[in-house]
Amino acid sequence: MKPDHFEKLLVLYGRKPVLEALMDASLDCRTLHLASSNRSAGILKEIVDYAKSRDILIREHTREALGRLSKNKKQDQGVALDIRCPSFMSIEQFLSAPIDSATRVLALDGVTNPQNVGMIIRSAVASGIGGILYPRKGVASLGPLVIKASAGTLFKAPIISCETLAPALRQCLENGLDIVALDGAAPDSLFGDRPSRAAVYVLGGETHGVSDATRSLATRSLSIPMAGGVESLNVAVTAALIGYAAQIAP
Amino acid sequence: MKPDHFEKLLVLYGRKPVLEALMDASLDCRTLHLASSNRSAGILKEIVDYAKSRDILIREHTREALGRLSKNKKQDQGVALDIRCPSFMSIEQFLSAPIDSATRVLALDGVTNPQNVGMIIRSAVASGIGGILYPRKGVASLGPLVIKASAGTLFKAPIISCETLAPALRQCLENGLDIVALDGAAPDSLFGDRPSRAAVYVLGGETHGVSDATRSLATRSLSIPMAGGVESLNVAVTAALIGYAAQIAP
């Protein structure tokens, strides 16, 4: 087992999502976990057949142990699958490699709607963003709803995992990155901005926006100009504009 | 009644949406319609009180007649409200006024998910788009779900109504507008494009994309560059990128 193994592992759960993942030859599926309490069902046989045909290790667990693996006993349906996602990394791994000055990272700050998180990931991957700083707490977890809304792009996404956001942002600051807060009242526009160094753009949650703890760490504020008295944009739309602003800007 | 009255009228239905609209002083509420079959309920009294306090005409109808007004008898809950939206127009009204060469219009082609339609409207208004070509058929109707997802921006949106899309696009063509299809395979990027005249950008639906009838009318194709093997973006994200591309581009 490589030292990076744990950070790159996504534990997928639920029968249909697991079957779909096993059918996708582009995914690096490692171990299939089954609850010994599972009763026979057509889709379970299909899951096992696909796993065998791909030479994937199959392990049986007690119902309780499987719930601990999936971290979602209520919705795992007795099935979990380890998938190695090559672009996943820890915050330490991200910061230990050289970071290009043009790198843009998105940070999720209390984004709890899985639909939005999935759309953010899809837009971020499409726009070539350098990373998505993803706290294990306070953000919709990387489950089936996020995967569906990401249109399958989560598996390729540069997810930078951390425990909570504020300490990870402090680590980024210590490594010379800018922390940018999007703020409707900021005089400087995202679109006119030419960042001189790598930057983390904080995306606030649907209800409370960017948290105070995060805002106090920001080194710069930028606004997205809005017409028609509109006060805010959907957070996934904001993510896309940040991602593409780098490509679009002159 | 002004000749433009009908085109600018949005018939809102449902008790909570109607109450919220009546409480919003920025909206030009015209007539409150009630079904005579309504039983007394707290929220109905609130609705009537607000309408009276704003001097809004109140009309009673049979249940059937109210259903015809709301065009959604199943979900109108016996309540409908006429709201005058000053930026709504017909395709004829849009084309009869002078159109600036920098104008960008979005056209909805089979976008059936109300969540997406609402987000498109929100992004379009924020980005200052010139119009949203909105066929009465084949697109999610302008009901409570769209209004909620639009974060209330629908009432200010430049909605250009038409019966079906293809004839309206032909009218645009005859008036010298470009019809632009977004196409992942097109060699020219949306972001490098400097349109020389007003253009309609067609947004395809979630399932079938841009329809053949529409595609055959397109005068130009543009792509949005996508990294990481991503095949498409959410349609509301695409709408935002089109809207802001005009502002961002050098």
Side-chain angles (χ1 to χ4, degrees), chain A residues 120-215:
Chain A
I120 289 170
I121 293 170
R122 182 178 175 189
S123 303
V125 175
S127 67
I129 209 94
I132 303 168
L133 193 51
Y134 204 106
R136 269 180 282 272
K137 285 175 186 160
V139 171
S141 60
L142 296 177
L145 291 174
V146 169
I147 292 170
K148 190 163 183 235
S150 84
T153 59
L154 169 62
F155 305 115
K156 315 172 199 170
I159 299 287
I160 305 171
S161 56
C162 61
E163 200 55 30
T164 51
L165 190 60
L169 291 177
R170 268 184 225 108
Q171 285 175 271
C172 291
L173 276 176
E174 285 160 12
N175 281 269
L177 277 78
D178 258 336
I179 310 292
V180 179
L182 274 294
D183 180 344
D188 296 329
S189 160
L190 169 71
F191 301 128
D193 190 55
R194 304 287 166 272
S196 57
R197 49 182 177 159
V200 181
Y201 295 76
V202 183
L203 296 172
E206 298 83 0
T207 316
H208 302 293
V210 173
S211 65
D212 291 340
T214 304
R215 193 173 294 280

Side-chain angles (χ1 to χ4, degrees), chain B residues 94-128:
Chain B
F94 172 68
L95 292 172
S96 66
I99 299 171
D100 187 276
S101 67
T103 300
R104 293 188 182 206
V105 170
L106 299 175
L108 303 189
D109 183 10
V111 184
T112 54
N113 179 326
Q115 192 76 23
N116 281 337
V117 171
M119 284 205 298
I120 290 170
I121 292 169
R122 182 178 174 187
S123 302
V125 175
S127 68

Side-chain angles (χ1 to χ4, degrees), chain A residues 94-133:
Chain A
F94 172 68
L95 292 173
S96 67
I99 299 171
D100 188 275
S101 66
T103 300
R104 294 189 181 205
V105 170
L106 298 175
L108 304 188
D109 184 10
V111 184
T112 54
N113 179 326
Q115 193 76 26
N116 281 337
V117 171
M119 285 204 298
I120 289 170
I121 293 170
R122 182 178 175 189
S123 303
V125 175
S127 67
I129 209 94
I132 303 168
L133 193 51

Side-chain angles (χ1 to χ4, degrees), chain A:
Chain A
M1 200 179 287
K2 295 178 192 169
D4 74 9
H5 193 70
F6 176 77
E7 303 298 338
K8 294 195 183 299
L9 215 59
L10 177 74
V11 183
L12 186 69
Y13 57 84
R15 295 179 180 188
K16 196 154 171 269
V18 164
L19 178 60
E20 286 173 358
L22 286 167
M23 292 167 75
D24 183 344
S26 75
L27 296 183
D28 185 359
C29 302
R30 294 292 172 105
T31 307
L32 174 66
H33 304 278
L34 301 171
S36 51
S37 60
N38 284 339
R39 296 191 197 164
S40 64
I43 189 168
L44 270 177
K45 190 179 174 310
E46 268 191 276
I47 288 171
V48 170
D49 286 350
Y50 267 103
K52 283 183 180 166
S53 76
R54 292 186 61 173
D55 263 336
I56 290 163
L57 189 67
I58 303 178
R59 280 192 173 156
E60 239 184 44
H61 306 265
T62 64
R63 188 70 196 82
E64 291 307 314
L66 190 94
R68 281 192 299 274
L69 268 171
S70 73
K71 290 185 188 141
N72 205 325
K73 192 186 163 190
K74 279 189 186 162
Q75 288 165 354
D76 65 26
Q77 302 175 300
V79 175
L81 178 68
D82 295 344
I83 301 175
R84 186 176 185 277
C85 302
S87 304
F88 282 27
M89 63 199 118
S90 66
I91 178 75
E92 289 77 18
Q93 286 164 347
F94 172 68
L95 292 173
S96 67
I99 299 171
D100 188 275
S101 66
T103 300
R104 294 189 181 205
V105 170
L106 298 175
L108 304 188
D109 184 10
V111 184
T112 54
N113 179 326
Q115 193 76 26
N116 281 337
V117 171
M119 285 204 298
I120 289 170
I121 293 170
R122 182 178 175 189
S123 303
V125 175
S127 67
I129 209 94
I132 303 168
L133 193 51
Y134 204 106
R136 269 180 282 272
K137 285 175 186 160
V139 171
S141 60
L142 296 177
L145 291 174
V146 169
I147 292 170
K148 190 163 183 235
S150 84
T153 59
L154 169 62
F155 305 115
K156 315 172 199 170
I159 299 287
I160 305 171
S161 56
C162 61
E163 200 55 30
T164 51
L165 190 60
L169 291 177
R170 268 184 225 108
Q171 285 175 271
C172 291
L173 276 176
E174 285 160 12
N175 281 269
L177 277 78
D178 258 336
I179 310 292
V180 179
L182 274 294
D183 180 344
D188 296 329
S189 160
L190 169 71
F191 301 128
D193 190 55
R194 304 287 166 272
S196 57
R197 49 182 177 159
V200 181
Y201 295 76
V202 183
L203 296 172
E206 298 83 0
T207 316
H208 302 293
V210 173
S211 65
D212 291 340
T214 304
R215 193 173 294 280
S216 68
L217 295 171
T219 48
R220 304 201 296 135
S221 292
L222 294 172
S223 60
I224 295 177
M226 282 181 244
V230 179
E231 288 173 16
S232 69
L233 289 163
N234 172 281
V235 64
V237 166
T238 303
L241 292 173
I242 294 169
Y244 278 103
Q247 291 189 40
I248 304 165

